[in-house]
Amino acid sequence: MVLVVVERDGDGTLTEGSAEVLAAARDLAESLGVPVEAVAVGEPGDLPDDLVKRGVGRLHLLTHELLDDGSPSCLGEALAGLVADLRPAAVLAPSTDRSTEAMAWAAAELGMPLATACTEIRPVPDGTDDTWEVTRERAGGILLEDAALTAPIRLCTLRPGSPSPSETAAADEMTVHVVVPELRASVPRARLVERRERAAGMTLTTAPVVVAGGRGVGSSEGYAVLEELAGLVGGAVGCSRVATNNGWRPHADQVGLTGTRISPDLYVACGISGATQHWVGCMNARSILAVNTDPEAPMVTRATWAVIGDVHEVLPAVVDEIRRRSGR
Amino acid sequence: MDVLVCVKRVPAVGAEILLTADATAIDTRHLGFTIGPHEECAVEEAVRIAERTGGSAGVLTVGPPETEEQLRYALSMGADHAVRVDSPETDPDPEATAAAVTGALGELPPYDLVLFGEASADAGHAQVGFRVACALRRPVVGGVKGIDLDGAGGGTVTLRRATPDGVELHEAPLPAVAAVLEGLNLPRYPTIKGRLRAKRAPVRVLDGPGATGGLRTLRLRHRPEARAQTVVLGRGAAAAPAVVDVLAELGMVR
Ligand SMILES: Cc1cc2nc3c(=O)[nH]c(=O)nc-3n(C[C@H](O)[C@H](O)[C@H](O)COP(=O)(O)OP(=O)(O)OC[C@H]3O[C@@H](n4cnc5c(N)ncnc54)[C@H](O)[C@@H]3O)c2cc1C
Ligand SMILES: Nc1ncnc2c1ncn2[C@@H]1O[C@H](COP(=O)(O)O)[C@@H](O)[C@H]1O
């Protein structure tokens, strides 16, 4: 069997990432001639109905009060126990922080390797050895890595945006298997003591336009015109790591490998060179406008549109032009 | 409090990345090396905790002798002792790295807090810290952007975890493990005095367990890029009307 770790949103619906992993799991299971089963935490809710439509015939529901904290030690230990019982050919999970951390703990508990951030899984199903091949993203996708994964049970987390789910044959029936894991009392654990929701409003990840500035902006005051432009186009302000390290902007604004990865409709990169660690954060933007004094800057050569010039001249002129046309 | 930070030497790549002829690694002949930003913040935090509590901040890496350059960088930031677990590989499999760190923690004096980056800056396996926590049966929290020691007298630490929906506070009994993110703090630049001290500081070298894992790199590849030729809208302020035309076309301004 192929076992899929599925996650649900706050309102109980299957996450998009989990749906993609289910689709990938179905293709994999078909090529191996085995069924797909799923594992989730908590109450069943609508999950069995949703999963049966996606070709899943059995759902293992892990129920334990400690699992509500989302701690990798609890979820990891519970997963490891289930996997040791079921002995699936593979366990696939979405590459969210929560699932990745739990899979890492489970892998350690099982004494097995784990391939994270996979974009493709290629089984070698002839049974001669345990090795499969995977393609994974290194460092947020700066490079792709083809790797050999050798284990009797292949543990993988999958990046979103993997294969596009094709039409699925529904499973005939759904069995729900409730599992109450025995979590060792001897393991000291972290406990969730408080949860604070982010205030509603636009964030870097939800903004349709991100106006970002780098070293070329020159100072924290220099961001005023970026704020103004972002306000006019209904967007948010982002920055490069140079801006964060200089204390010009908070780290929450940083785009890139160790900042936020975004996919807005338009990314306006002002005075940003386009280093790989920055590029992986914005490469999924639908379009990019680069403003840079250097026509050879990698951000310029990879952009959809570019303006060659000083941000301090270009941006005020753009803001003036928008105001002139709209009469504001 | 005694804190240990695990750091990894990684190539400081720029805008273009060259691969070795057999494509199994990055061609580093013309590159410098660094530690990842998550780990730099971990070192900064360890140094601050040591200063505040009168404890110590250690750094540890698993790798060949040249990785001591990164240990010395951490020492120049204010860490007070360094350990290298000898391994012939610069980019070991995460199982092997975790085994080496776990083994070393068995030999070294006890630490109250062991810090990792959430993910290494080159391989990005995002698992070594959690594997070590599992092997040592220690509480672990990932995605940490804040460490509060108010409960340390009572033997706990409060770890602030960033989630997609907001923030979670987790309380962990000490000794504990945390995997941290950049943004935890703003790391200091080493002082000249720090650099001089780091140059002379001894690095303790431990034998590695020589463990290997089940994940082996076959080849690295660049991701296929499908971007059209850049349209240059103009130079300087004169390009503003063309820029606003584009914004209007995208429906972002009227
Ligand atoms: C492990 C690791 C992780 C990293 N993670 C991140 C990350 O998450 N995000 C990130 O951003 N970086 C990250 N970095 C840093 C990254 O490598 C670059 O150093 C950084 O992105 C460069 O920022 P920049 O483009 O603002 O500065 P620079 O590279 O210095 O580029 C400045 C650009 O501005 C242009 N310019 C200068 N003056 C003007 C002007 N007046 N008008 C217009 N243009 C001008 C220049 O031509 C140049 O192209 C990471 C690095 C490492 C090693
Ligand atoms: N070779 C290494 N030596 C010491 N620590 C490491 C090494 N590799 C990884 N780590 C630590 O483990 C974290 C996660 O790494 P990874 O699982 O490779 O993403 C890193 O941020 C480091 O703190």
Side-chain angles (χ1 to χ4, degrees):
Chain A
M1 126 202 17
V2 173
L3 183 67
V4 180
V5 179
V6 299
E7 291 182 7
R8 285 177 283 178
D9 286 337
D11 62 0
T13 54
L14 197 68
T15 62
E16 210 176 301
S18 300
E20 287 181 0
V21 177
L22 282 165
R26 204 205 51 232
D27 290 349
L28 178 63
E30 243 163 48
S31 74
L32 296 170
V34 298
V36 177
E37 299 189 4
V39 53
V41 172
E43 296 298 314
D46 297 333
L47 197 56
D49 291 340
D50 202 351
L51 291 175
V52 79
K53 282 186 287 191
R54 295 169 196 274
V56 177
R58 196 148 83 122
L59 168 63
H60 307 270
L61 266 183
L62 299 172
T63 49
H64 194 294
E65 49 166 21
L66 284 178
L67 292 176
D68 300 337
D69 284 7
S71 155
S73 78
C74 302
L75 188 52
E77 191 178 331
L79 261 181
L82 183 70
V83 170
D85 281 347
L86 298 174
R87 308 290 306 173
V91 184
L92 310 188
S95 69
T96 57
D97 292 346
R98 182 173 169 163
S99 285
T100 303
E101 293 172 359
M103 287 283 276
W105 182 288
E109 191 99 45
L110 293 162
M112 287 185 194
L114 162 68
T116 56
C118 294
T119 56
E120 224 183 288
I121 297 169
R122 295 179 291 279
V124 185
D126 62 4
T128 49
D129 76 2
D130 283 341
T131 302
W132 286 10
E133 224 181 277
V134 300
T135 300
R136 58 180 301 273
E137 289 185 348
R138 279 175 75 89
I142 287 178
L143 288 172
L144 296 177
E145 168 183 4
D146 294 328
L149 177 63
T150 306
I153 300 171
R154 292 79 179 187
L155 308 176
C156 304
T157 71
L158 259 71
R159 289 289 310 155
S162 306
S164 60
S166 50
E167 206 42 52
T168 316
D172 298 332
E173 54 172 0
M174 165 61 74
T175 329
V176 178
H177 170 214
V178 175
V179 188
V180 182
E182 273 177 48
L183 300 177
R184 274 184 298 260
S186 59
V187 180
R189 315 206 186 243
R191 248 174 357 98
L192 176 68
V193 289
E194 195 182 329
R195 190 175 264 147
R196 295 183 202 146
E197 300 283 311
R198 191 193 323 284
M202 196 162 40
T203 66
L204 213 50
T205 36
T206 59
V209 187
V210 173
V211 182
R215 189 190 302 278
V217 175
S219 65
S220 60
E221 298 74 42
Y223 283 82
V225 64
L226 279 80
E227 298 270 7
E228 197 177 358
L229 177 58
L232 287 170
V233 297
V237 171
C239 72
S240 76
R241 182 158 178 251
V242 165
T244 320
N245 275 356
N246 283 330
W248 299 342
R249 300 298 296 181
H251 184 267
D253 286 1
Q254 183 176 313
V255 172
L257 171 61
T258 53
T260 307
R261 297 173 69 181
I262 57 174
S263 47
D265 294 332
L266 175 66
Y267 186 63
V268 186
C270 309
I272 297 178
S273 63
T276 37
Q277 301 90 353
H278 186 85
W279 179 249
V280 288
C282 66
M283 66 185 180
N284 291 326
R286 198 165 290 160
S287 57
I288 295 178
L289 166 63
V291 180
N292 202 304
T293 43
D294 177 7
E296 302 300 328
M299 184 61 84
V300 172
T301 58
R302 286 164 150 168
T304 324
W305 304 282
V307 175
I308 311 306
D310 188 333
V311 288
H312 305 104
E313 291 168 17
V314 178
L315 293 187
V318 169
V319 165
D320 285 349
E321 178 70 14
I322 295 172
R323 291 200 188 284
R324 194 183 60 75
R325 288 195 199 181
S326 65
R328 277 189 276 175
Chain B
M1 261 175 76
D2 297 315
V3 187
L4 182 74
V5 183
C6 293
V7 301
K8 183 181 185 186
R9 172 184 172 90
V10 298
V13 295
E16 302 297 334
I17 301 177
L18 296 178
L19 299 179
T20 54
D22 65 357
T24 57
I26 292 176
D27 180 349
T28 56
R29 280 174 303 175
H30 307 291
L31 292 180
F33 290 83
T34 183
I35 60 174
H38 301 318
E39 291 154 37
E40 214 177 306
C41 288
V43 173
E44 175 66 35
E45 197 70 14
V47 171
R48 289 186 193 181
I49 292 173
E51 281 167 0
R52 207 159 59 216
T53 63
S56 71
V59 277
L60 177 149
T61 195
V62 181
E66 59 266 29
T67 59
E68 289 181 15
E69 181 192 347
Q70 278 57 51
L71 293 178
R72 290 194 194 282
Y73 183 80
L75 289 168
S76 73
M77 286 177 69
D80 38 45
H81 60 279
V83 180
R84 179 173 66 85
V85 186
D86 192 44
S87 148
E89 289 195 64
T90 44
D91 183 21
D93 163 284
E95 275 180 281
T97 309
V101 174
T102 305
L105 285 169
E107 284 185 49
L108 296 168
Y111 291 94
D112 301 297
L113 195 57
V114 181
L115 300 181
F116 293 84
E118 179 79 5
S120 56
D122 58 347
H125 295 297
Q127 50 182 276
V128 169
F130 303 93
R131 283 184 180 274
V132 171
C134 177
L136 296 175
R137 302 269 170 248
R138 295 271 174 91
V140 60
V141 178
V144 168
K145 281 204 167 179
I147 300 180
D148 177 353
L149 297 181
D150 285 354
T156 63
V157 60
T158 305
L159 301 162
R160 187 155 55 82
R161 169 181 170 85
T163 71
D165 317 305
V167 162
E168 291 175 356
L169 301 183
H170 293 261
E171 194 179 283
L174 294 168
V177 173
V180 311
L181 291 174
E182 188 183 27
L184 172 64
N185 52 44
L186 196 56
R188 71 192 73 187
Y189 288 107
T191 58
I192 306 252
K193 206 171 129 214
R195 283 184 196 278
L196 288 175
R197 201 177 55 84
K199 218 186 247 172
R200 293 190 304 265
V203 170
R204 178 164 173 193
V205 180
L206 299 178
D207 283 336
T212 51
L215 188 67
R216 188 166 50 88
T217 304
L218 300 172
R219 70 194 79 82
L220 303 184
R221 292 186 278 134
H222 292 280
R223 62 169 56 240
E225 267 196 66
R227 267 197 195 272
Q229 197 72 41
T230 307
V231 176
V232 177
L233 298 174
R235 294 191 163 260
V243 170
V244 181
D245 287 347
V246 165
L247 295 175
E249 216 174 281
L250 294 171
M252 287 160 187
V253 293
R254 270 173 298 130

